[in-house]
Amino acid sequence: MTESTAVVVRDMTPDDAEQMVPLLETLGYGADPGTIADRLRALTASDPTGRVLVAESGRQLVGFAVLHCTPALHRPTPVGRITAIAVLPPAQGSGVGKDLVRAAEHYFRNLGLGRIEVT
C-alpha cells in the first residue's frame, strides 16, 4: 500500500467475507468466507449496536474493527468496545489502524457513550 492510496472506512457487508479471511488469520482465527458472512449476519441481527468496520484501499480490504456497546452497572452510559481490530502486515504503520479507531470513536460518540475500551 502506498501513502497516496486513499483509505475508506465503511461497514462490512457479507460480500466482503472472502477478503476478511486473511484479516482474521492475522489474529489467529481461521474461517471460510461462508462462515464469516454467517457470523456477520448473526452479529448484526443479535446486537443492534454491533458493527464491523472495514478499511478499504483501492478494492482491497486492509483492516477491520468489530464494535459493540455494552451496558455497565457502574457507568451512567454503556461502554463502547472494540472487540477485535487488525491490519494486514503490508498496511501496518500506514495509519489504517488509526483510521479505524477514529471511525469507532465517532460511532460511539454519536451514540452518546463516554468511554471506549479495546478488549
Side-chain angles (χ1 to χ4, degrees):
M1 188 173 114
T2 64
E3 287 186 31
S4 63
T5 305
V7 172
V8 174
V9 176
R10 60 173 176 78
D11 287 304
M12 180 188 169
T13 70
D15 292 338
D16 295 318
E18 188 169 334
Q19 288 194 56
M20 286 294 292
V21 171
L23 281 160
L24 287 172
E25 287 174 349
T26 66
L27 297 177
Y29 298 107
D32 63 87
T35 299
I36 293 169
D38 289 345
R39 288 178 183 167
L40 174 66
R41 284 189 276 275
L43 183 151
T44 56
S46 67
D47 180 358
T49 63
R51 278 179 95 176
V52 179
L53 300 177
V54 293
E56 186 175 44
S57 177
R59 294 185 183 156
Q60 174 71 37
L61 296 188
V62 294
F64 80 101
V66 181
L67 314 180
H68 299 277
C69 298
T70 305
L73 182 64
H74 59 288
R75 298 215 174 268
T77 63
V79 175
R81 289 200 168 138
I82 300 173
T83 60
I85 187 167
V87 175
L88 288 178
Q92 291 175 359
S94 68
V96 171
K98 286 180 186 177
D99 292 341
L100 286 163
V101 170
R102 211 169 311 157
E105 289 172 338
H106 179 75
Y107 174 63
F108 292 137
R109 192 176 304 114
N110 285 341
L111 291 176
L113 307 186
R115 183 170 184 90
I116 299 171
E117 299 174 345
V118 180
T119 61

